Amino acid sequence: MKDSIVLITGASSGIGEACAKVFAKLEAKLILTARTQERLQPIAESLDCEYYLLPFDVRDRAAVDTAIESLPPEWSDIDLLINNAGLSRGLDKFHEADIQDWEEMIDTNIKGLLYMSRKVVPDMVRRGKGYIINIGSTAGHQTYPGGHVYCATKAAVKSITEGLKQDLLGTPIRVSLVDPGLVETNFSNVRFHGDTERAEKVYQGLVPLTPDDVAEVVLFCATRPPHVNLMDIVMMPVDQAPLMLFNRK
Ligand code: 8X3
């Protein structure tokens, strides 16, 4: 990975931040993106590697285009795009859910990932070099009560990943999906709009994955030989099994 240019969306916390750390250890050159520079700066300063900070909102298509176009030539040949930016909002029944929550999840998890990929992948194809790793979720494989739209966005990420792989067949570009289950980050806190007590309950009585666990798998994908394409890695804590509902109340 030394000197490879790795762009990570949502790099200011959780899985994105953990990815930055593991790729920095291998001396990759990191383009870290998130909505605000202030949250990226301290993370970047803790890394022992070259970095470039690119604050923008993946939900804003024009901002995505401008940000990528603004990269200086020495940073513009992106070797690995990690589409990590994503969130969940709400766990209410479908007929009681806040439509604004839906908009935010669809705009970030689906449209943001599409804008980023559509902007970055053509150049990878032109150069005959590149790799896209999307962060999905076990929620893309199973819908749980109150999960309707969040699960749908992650199912969309799975479909988009497969579609991209289909359409890149015949090129050396690789595409992978990493689907984590319960990972203890601020994910649930964001989902419950800052209700920390409720968020903590999600992980009570079990040992969840850590962001580092997921980042190690992303790194494993990225360090396979060039002819190996890991398509979809579903990972969960030992304390989780498919179709378990947990404390999602
Ligand atoms: C995160 C996993 O099960 O909390 O995407 O939705 S879950």
Side-chain angles (χ1 to χ4, degrees):
M1 293 306 306
K2 185 166 163 37
D3 294 331
S4 294
I5 299 182
V6 178
L7 188 153
I8 305 170
T9 66
S12 62
S13 65
I15 294 169
E17 179 183 355
C19 285
K21 287 185 182 145
V22 295
F23 283 96
K25 276 193 195 134
L26 294 190
E27 296 178 71
K29 292 172 67 178
L30 300 184
I31 304 172
L32 303 178
T33 88
R35 274 172 294 177
T36 61
Q37 171 113 4
E38 298 79 73
R39 295 191 57 198
L40 286 173
Q41 193 74 47
I43 291 165
E45 283 168 11
S46 74
L47 301 173
D48 194 14
C49 73
E50 280 187 67
Y51 61 80
Y52 191 92
L53 303 187
L54 201 54
F56 64 92
D57 189 338
V58 294
R59 295 174 297 180
D60 181 342
R61 183 173 152 197
V64 169
D65 287 354
T66 306
I68 300 302
E69 284 163 19
S70 77
L71 286 169
E74 63 274 24
W75 285 94
S76 62
D77 291 350
I78 297 164
D79 295 301
L80 170 60
L81 167 63
I82 302 177
N83 278 314
N84 163 72
L87 81 172
S88 71
R89 284 288 197 196
L91 197 61
D92 302 313
K93 289 182 190 295
F94 182 94
H95 53 284
E96 294 165 351
D98 183 339
I99 293 178
Q100 187 49 42
D101 284 349
W102 294 357
E103 306 274 15
E104 204 175 342
M105 291 187 284
I106 291 167
D107 287 352
T108 310
N109 303 2
I110 305 179
K111 292 169 75 179
L113 179 142
L114 287 172
Y115 296 156
M116 284 302 299
S117 306
R118 183 64 182 82
K119 189 66 185 170
V120 171
V121 172
D123 195 51
M124 290 180 169
V125 173
R126 251 191 310 277
R127 289 186 295 123
K129 189 166 183 260
Y131 194 164
I132 304 99
I133 300 182
N134 292 331
I135 305 299
S137 169
T138 49
H141 296 256
Q142 55 183 47
T143 305
Y144 48 77
H148 37 75
V149 171
Y150 175 69
C151 297
T153 65
K154 290 301 185 177
V157 170
K158 184 171 180 291
S159 292
I160 292 163
T161 308
E162 288 168 5
L164 186 56
K165 181 70 182 80
Q166 295 281 3
D167 293 341
L168 288 172
L169 198 61
T171 78
I173 318 297
R174 292 185 284 170
V175 187
S176 297
L177 176 64
V178 174
D179 284 328
L182 289 168
V183 187
E184 190 154 22
T185 60
N186 60 353
F187 174 87
S188 292
N189 208 25
V190 171
R191 161 167 270 175
F192 298 134
H193 295 275
D195 183 341
T196 312
E197 205 179 317
R198 190 175 176 201
E200 280 170 2
K201 276 196 192 136
V202 174
Y203 309 104
Q204 265 169 18
L206 63 103
V207 180
L209 296 177
T210 67
D212 291 347
D213 295 327
V214 182
E216 291 292 344
V217 171
V218 172
L219 183 69
F220 181 77
C221 293
T223 51
R224 291 312 86 210
H227 67 288
V228 177
N229 191 101
L230 294 172
M231 200 56 240
D232 185 359
I233 299 183
V234 181
M235 57 185 296
M236 54 184 73
V238 171
D239 287 340
Q240 182 176 6
L243 300 176
M244 278 175 73
L245 295 179
F246 299 105
N247 308 308
R248 294 198 190 92
K249 292 195 178 104

